[in-house]
Amino acid sequence: MVEQDFSSTPVSRVAQFLTFSSEDRRKIWAKVANIVDSIDSSEKSLNIENVLAPNDAIAALTKFDFLEPHEPSSVLEFVSSGLTHGRVHTTHPGYYGLFNPAVGDMGIVADTLTAAFNPQLASWNHGSFPISVEDHLVRHIGERLGLPPKNIDGVFTSGGAEANHTAVLTALTKKFRGFSKLGLRGLPAQPTAYISREGHHSFRKAIRACGLGTDALTEIPVDVNLKMDIKSLRQKLDEDRKTGKIPFLIVATAGTTSGGIIDPLSDVATVCKEQGVWFHVDAAWGGAAAIVPEMQHYLSGIEQADSVTFDAHKWLSVPMAAGMFLTTHPDILGKTFHIETDYMPPEGDSGEINPYHRSLQWSRRFIGLKVFMSLAVAGWNGYATVIRQQTKMGVILKKALALNKWRVVNNTPLPVACFIDATDESGFAKNCEAIVKRVVDDGRAWVSMTKLNGLPVIRACVTNFKSQSDDIQALITALNHARSILWK
C-alpha cells in the first residue's frame, strides 16, 4: 500500500501565489495609484466610446492560458490598457448616457478596504460593525427621503433590480397570508401589479422571477407630461377587480429612465390607500433630489410609500453597485426572507441584525461602506452642492438645445433632456439614429436614442459631477455638425 503524504506545504510557498512581500505590495499599489490619478487627465483626450471588436478582444486574451504565471506589473498594465481602450468611458464629463457617473475618491478607497478586509455580512456574529454601518445608513437615507423615522427599515442590494424584486416579494407577502409557505398555489386569485408605461422594465423580470408571469403586470398609460395617468389607473383597477383579479402592488417612478419623469406620487399614494395596495416608489435615480432642500417638493408623496428603491451608485457618485430597498414596515423583510439553518449562528435576542434573514442575498460584500465614507466626508450639504450643480448643468443643456433649434420634449426638473430636431421634425425620426451615431463617432460626447410615446428622441443626461459648460458646448457642437452633414 502506498502511503499518503500528509505533511503540509510551508505557508511561504503557498502564499507566494496569492500575496506579495510588503515591498512588492507597496510597489504595485503605487502603480495602481498612478493609474487612478491618470484617469482624469488622460480620459478627456480619448474618444468616449472605445469598444473592441469581439475578435480583437479574443486575440488580446490568448496569451492568458493560465498555464504559467505572469508578472503582477505586466498583468496590471494589460488590464489598465484594456480598460482604457476597450470600453465606453462612462466617467468622462462628456458622457450623457444612462446613470453611470464619475465616482468620488472616498468610494474608491472604500471599495479597496472592503476587498482587503473582505467582511462577511450574512450574520451579526461575522460582521457586527459593517452591518451596523449599513443599518445606520438605511435609517439616515430613509429620513432624508421623508419616511417616518420610527418605522424605517431596509437592506442594501446589488442594485435597483434586486430592490424592485424585493418590493414585489414583500408586497405579495403582505397581501397574501401564507404566501411565504404556500407560494402561488395558495393564492385565491390572480395577483396583479401596476406601473406606468415609462416605468423600469426590471419589474417585468421581477414579476416573472416570482412566478407570476408578465401578464400579471399592467402598464398604465401616461398623460401629456409622460406621468402615470391616475384616471386610467383607477379604471384598470376596477376592471381587474370585476374579473376576479387581486391588485397587490402599484409602482410609481421618481425619475424614469428615458425622460426623468416623476409620477404624481401623492395621487398614487391616495389610490393605494383606497385600494389596500402596496405603494412602492422606484426612486433609484431621482430619489437623491431629496438631498437638496429646494428640490424636495418634487418628491412630495414619497413619504407615504410602503417601500422605496434607491441607488446610491447613481446620483451619489459611488462605485457600482450600491442599491437599497427601504420600507416603512419593520417586520416585512423578516416575514419575506427569514429561514432557519443548522450551520448559521442562532438568532440573538439583543437586537442583532442578521441580513441573511432579511434579503435575497446570503454571503455578500460590504456594499454600504462606499456610501458611508463618501457621505461622512462630503456631508449632506456637500452632496446637495454636487446635485445642485448637475441640475444647473441640465438647465444650461436644455437652454442651449433650444437656442440651437433642438426641441426638448420631456418636462422634468431632473437633468435629462430628450429632444428632436426642430428644423425638420417630420424627417427627424428616420435620421435620429444616424445623428446619434455621428455624435458618438466624433468622440467628444456620448448620447443615446430612446423612445417617448413611441417616437424616437435623442437622450442626454448629466450624470457626471465634473461636467461643465464647455462640455455642454462640445455636445451642442457635435449635434449641430451631425445634423449639418445629414442635411446636405
Side-chain angles (χ1 to χ4, degrees):
M1 184 176 68
V2 178
E3 293 187 5
Q4 290 180 301
D5 181 9
F6 289 101
S7 60
S8 62
T9 303
V11 172
S12 60
R13 287 181 59 191
V14 174
Q16 67 177 322
F17 297 107
L18 298 177
T19 63
F20 308 133
S21 66
S22 295
E23 182 180 354
D24 287 343
R25 185 181 292 119
R26 282 192 292 271
K27 288 179 179 178
I28 201 73
W29 277 109
K31 289 179 181 289
V32 171
N34 287 336
I35 291 169
V36 173
D37 280 343
S38 70
I39 291 174
D40 283 344
S41 59
S42 64
E43 202 161 39
K44 258 201 159 181
S45 64
L46 299 168
N47 281 356
I48 297 178
E49 183 170 275
N50 288 279
V51 180
L52 296 172
N55 288 341
D56 292 338
I58 292 169
L61 290 163
T62 53
K63 66 178 179 180
F64 290 95
D65 58 10
F66 310 113
L67 296 176
E68 296 294 335
H70 291 255
E71 285 295 321
S73 292
S74 68
V75 175
L76 179 60
E77 290 169 5
F78 173 81
V79 171
S80 175
S81 176
L83 289 172
T84 300
H85 302 290
R87 69 179 177 103
V88 173
H89 288 263
T90 55
T91 53
H92 191 290
Y95 174 81
Y96 300 99
L98 298 178
F99 313 107
N100 300 295
V103 295
D105 287 339
M106 289 310 292
I108 298 171
V109 171
D111 259 2
T112 302
L113 291 174
T114 295
F117 281 97
N118 200 30
Q120 167 59 278
L121 270 70
S123 71
W124 181 266
N125 286 0
H126 272 64
S128 55
F129 173 74
I131 291 170
S132 297
V133 167
E134 292 197 346
D135 186 61
H136 186 73
L137 286 167
V138 161
R139 298 185 186 284
H140 276 268
I141 291 175
E143 285 187 35
R144 186 59 52 159
L145 289 168
L147 302 180
K150 291 182 180 179
N151 295 331
I152 295 171
D153 194 18
V155 290
F156 273 79
T157 64
S158 58
E162 184 194 337
N164 289 340
H165 191 172
T166 301
V168 176
L169 288 169
T170 52
L172 284 167
T173 301
K174 182 70 174 178
K175 187 69 175 180
F176 302 103
R177 183 174 297 179
F179 171 75
S180 292
K181 182 177 181 180
L182 298 174
L184 301 183
R185 62 188 173 87
L187 302 184
Q190 171 68 56
T192 53
Y194 308 83
I195 191 170
S196 133
R197 192 174 66 203
E198 293 293 315
H200 200 273
H201 284 74
S202 60
F203 281 96
R204 282 188 170 275
K205 285 188 177 183
I207 289 286
R208 186 183 296 162
C210 289
L212 294 173
T214 51
D215 283 352
L217 181 65
T218 297
E219 291 186 356
I220 302 299
V222 295
D223 62 19
V224 293
N225 290 313
L226 302 175
K227 298 174 181 284
M228 181 187 286
D229 184 77
I230 299 300
K231 182 179 179 180
S232 297
L233 173 64
R234 290 184 181 279
Q235 287 177 345
K236 186 59 181 172
L237 286 163
D238 290 343
E239 290 172 8
D240 284 352
R241 287 192 185 280
K242 288 176 182 177
T243 59
K245 296 176 181 177
I246 305 178
F248 75 98
L249 169 67
I250 300 175
V251 178
T253 309
T256 58
T257 302
S258 289
I261 305 303
I262 299 173
D263 283 331
L265 305 182
S266 294
D267 292 341
V268 178
T270 298
V271 174
C272 288
K273 286 181 181 179
E274 292 172 355
Q275 298 276 342
V277 174
W278 187 276
F279 176 34
H280 179 74
V281 179
D282 183 359
W285 175 49
I291 295 172
V292 185
E294 64 268 26
M295 297 181 71
Q296 289 174 352
H297 68 280
Y298 295 124
L299 300 178
S300 179
I302 197 171
E303 71 282 354
Q304 301 179 63
D306 294 294
S307 59
V308 178
T309 288
F310 181 80
D311 279 355
H313 63 255
K314 291 191 167 91
W315 226 355
L316 295 194
S317 300
V318 300
M320 292 187 284
M324 299 178 71
F325 172 82
L326 305 166
T327 181
T328 55
H329 298 263
D331 61 340
I332 195 64
L333 287 169
K335 288 181 178 179
T336 304
F337 296 112
H338 185 91
I339 193 166
E340 296 291 343
T341 69
D342 292 331
Y343 50 81
M344 294 297 288
E347 188 80 10
D349 56 3
S350 303
E352 297 97 334
I353 300 169
N354 290 298
Y356 86 99
H357 282 320
R358 299 153 38 79
S359 170
L360 275 167
Q361 299 186 56
W362 202 290
S363 301
R364 70 161 175 82
R365 77 196 310 265
F366 189 4
I367 298 171
L369 184 60
K370 52 198 166 191
V371 184
F372 176 80
M373 293 183 71
S374 298
L375 188 52
V377 170
W380 289 123
N381 288 338
Y383 266 113
T385 299
V386 171
I387 293 171
R388 193 178 285 121
Q389 166 68 10
Q390 286 178 263
T391 304
K392 178 182 177 182
M393 287 300 105
V395 172
I396 290 173
L397 169 62
K398 292 168 187 176
K399 288 182 177 178
L401 287 166
L403 287 172
N404 286 270
K405 299 182 180 179
W406 299 92
R407 185 164 72 86
V408 176
V409 296
N410 64 321
N411 181 16
T412 178
L414 305 181
V416 55
C418 296
F419 53 96
I420 63 175
D421 178 17
T423 68
D424 185 9
E425 294 191 10
S426 61
F428 173 76
K430 66 179 182 181
N431 288 299
C432 180
E433 186 174 1
I435 292 173
V436 168
K437 185 178 186 308
R438 284 188 177 274
V439 170
V440 171
D441 288 347
D442 180 71
R444 292 175 292 174
W446 199 99
V447 293
S448 59
M449 187 178 80
T450 188
K451 288 185 178 181
L452 295 180
N453 283 328
L455 298 175
V457 298
I458 300 174
R459 178 188 181 279
C461 181
V462 181
T463 68
N464 193 325
F465 59 87
K466 297 177 183 178
S467 297
Q468 297 293 320
S469 297
D470 60 333
D471 299 301
I472 301 293
Q473 187 55 53
L475 170 59
I476 298 297
T477 299
L479 285 164
N480 290 344
H481 180 68
R483 176 171 59 187
S484 68
I485 295 296
L486 288 168
W487 264 224
K488 279 185 177 179

